[in-house]
Amino acid sequence: MSNVMRVAVTGAAGQIGYSLLPLIANGAIFGPNQKVALQLLEVTPVLGALNGVRMELEDCAYPLLTEVICTDNPEIAFLNANLCMLVGSKPRGPGMERKDLLMDNGKIFIGQGRAIAAKAASDVRVVVVGNPCNTNCLIAMKNASGVPTDRFTAMTRLDMNRAKAQLALKSGKHWSLVKNVTIWGNHSNTQYPDWHHATIDGVPAARAVNDDAWLQGAFIKTVQERGKAIIEARGKSSALSAAQAACDHARSLFTVTTRDNWCSLCVLSDGSYGTPEGIISSFPCTTDGKGNWQIIQGLSMNDFSKAKAQITWKELQEEREMVKDLLG
Ligand code: NAX
């Protein structure tokens, strides 16, 4: 790794940003021995608030943090960036259709994809968090001419963490003992959290939980609708858990992840498991610790899993169709 890893974060003055930046500055992605510089992007009207965040970061005097750059220019934010965390996007307004949200946000990710291609470091990795994150990721990737497509990933790590927590709570075991949960498809309420290969303290999850009706019903629904439940309870969308998940996702790219405890990443589909090609879909993945991932091959999928996965893959195809004019 470089002497200093340059991490660009968009939407940095937003609520996820406020939880995410301290984690990055404290070594949550690259570990306790790697210096980091933060390159923060916001829209122009929010630069004042972003400057306040910069002041607070300085006031933390983090040993690992070398520099904080604040800008409204993507070409400055992504300059020599090794990791770009694309968090900023427009929230859905009242009465706004899904297509309007896709189109409005899509335009942001065209510009950011181009700026990454023009300015980021040659080893850049991109993590898209801002929603609709799968399709935003596809748009950024398609507009980042010359950047290999496997550098682009979108986040279902929060969904995976939520699924692990639900399995742990149901089985009375600690969540650190839950392994190999897969999120398939879209980061939306069509996603399919799949427990069939998961283990809890070394025991197959289905045996540890011993409640198939719960797994096939309430478990899936709780994970799919957790975001909504948080908004109802808190009055705001998930932020600290989203920030933690974004770090977990990026850390997985830069540490080795094996088949014994895989991670879910949204990556460009190559048709594995019957997923339509050319969408950004969540898959079970391993990583090599150098920023590279591989889709795990050879897992069995029963008819229940196939049917659930089809629903979310279809939604991703529909999203891609809606933004086809933005795909470079
Ligand atoms: P906030 O509205 O608090 O912050 C978003 C920030 O992005 C704002 O400060 C805004 O000014 C900025 N922004 C908007 N357009 C921008 C642009 N073109 N360039 C740079 N910055 C821009 O939202 P927050 O709660 O932080 O959520 C951020 C995004 O994460 C949302 O799209 C949200 O839906 C998404 N989420 C994704 C999750 C996932 O699992 N993939 C989970 C959490 C979260 O819902």
Side-chain angles (χ1 to χ4, degrees), residues 144-210:
S145 171
V147 182
T149 55
D150 62 0
R151 304 296 182 79
F152 288 81
T153 58
M155 182 171 101
T156 43
R157 183 56 163 259
L158 177 55
D159 308 298
M160 188 184 109
N161 288 347
R162 287 168 170 166
K164 278 186 165 187
Q166 289 305 310
L167 291 171
L169 292 168
K170 178 76 176 173
S171 61
K173 298 278 185 180
H174 193 257
W175 28 64
S176 61
L177 299 170
V178 183
K179 296 181 176 169
N180 292 353
V181 178
T182 303
I183 305 296
W184 297 96
N186 201 1
H187 168 69
S188 76
N189 57 12
T190 66
Q191 66 175 269
Y192 170 44
D194 179 3
W195 67 92
H196 289 88
H197 300 281
T199 57
I200 305 175
D201 201 8
V203 175
R207 183 138 51 91
V209 166
N210 195 24

Side-chain angles (χ1 to χ4, degrees), residues 44-247:
T44 313
V46 181
L47 282 178
L50 184 62
N51 193 40
V53 174
R54 179 185 59 75
M55 288 157 69
E56 283 206 74
L57 287 166
E58 289 169 359
D59 294 349
C60 290
Y62 292 110
L64 297 176
L65 184 61
T66 60
E67 191 182 1
V68 183
I69 293 167
C70 296
T71 180
D72 57 0
N73 181 346
E75 296 212 343
I76 295 174
F78 299 137
L79 185 63
N80 299 326
N82 308 103
L83 173 64
C84 300
M85 305 192 76
L86 309 187
V87 180
S89 68
K90 277 195 193 166
R92 192 192 288 228
M96 205 172 172
E97 297 291 327
R98 189 171 178 83
K99 176 157 190 182
D100 300 331
L101 182 73
L102 279 159
M103 293 303 283
D104 267 17
N105 278 306
K107 288 175 198 142
I108 296 174
F109 287 84
I110 290 177
Q112 293 186 356
R114 287 181 185 155
I116 287 169
K119 296 293 173 183
S122 59
D123 65 357
V124 69
R125 299 297 188 275
V126 182
V127 178
V128 182
V129 175
N131 279 322
C133 66
N134 297 58
T135 298
N136 288 341
C137 182
L138 183 68
I139 294 168
M141 187 194 85
K142 289 282 189 183
N143 285 280
S145 171
V147 182
T149 55
D150 62 0
R151 304 296 182 79
F152 288 81
T153 58
M155 182 171 101
T156 43
R157 183 56 163 259
L158 177 55
D159 308 298
M160 188 184 109
N161 288 347
R162 287 168 170 166
K164 278 186 165 187
Q166 289 305 310
L167 291 171
L169 292 168
K170 178 76 176 173
S171 61
K173 298 278 185 180
H174 193 257
W175 28 64
S176 61
L177 299 170
V178 183
K179 296 181 176 169
N180 292 353
V181 178
T182 303
I183 305 296
W184 297 96
N186 201 1
H187 168 69
S188 76
N189 57 12
T190 66
Q191 66 175 269
Y192 170 44
D194 179 3
W195 67 92
H196 289 88
H197 300 281
T199 57
I200 305 175
D201 201 8
V203 175
R207 183 138 51 91
V209 166
N210 195 24
D211 188 344
D212 286 348
W214 179 83
L215 284 166
Q216 293 180 9
F219 165 67
I220 295 177
K221 199 159 188 272
T222 301
V223 177
Q224 288 175 333
E225 297 189 356
R226 189 66 160 183
K228 195 167 142 223
I230 303 274
I231 292 173
E232 280 165 10
R234 212 172 79 87
K236 292 178 186 168
S237 55
S238 323
L240 82 85
S241 56
Q244 181 61 47
C247 284

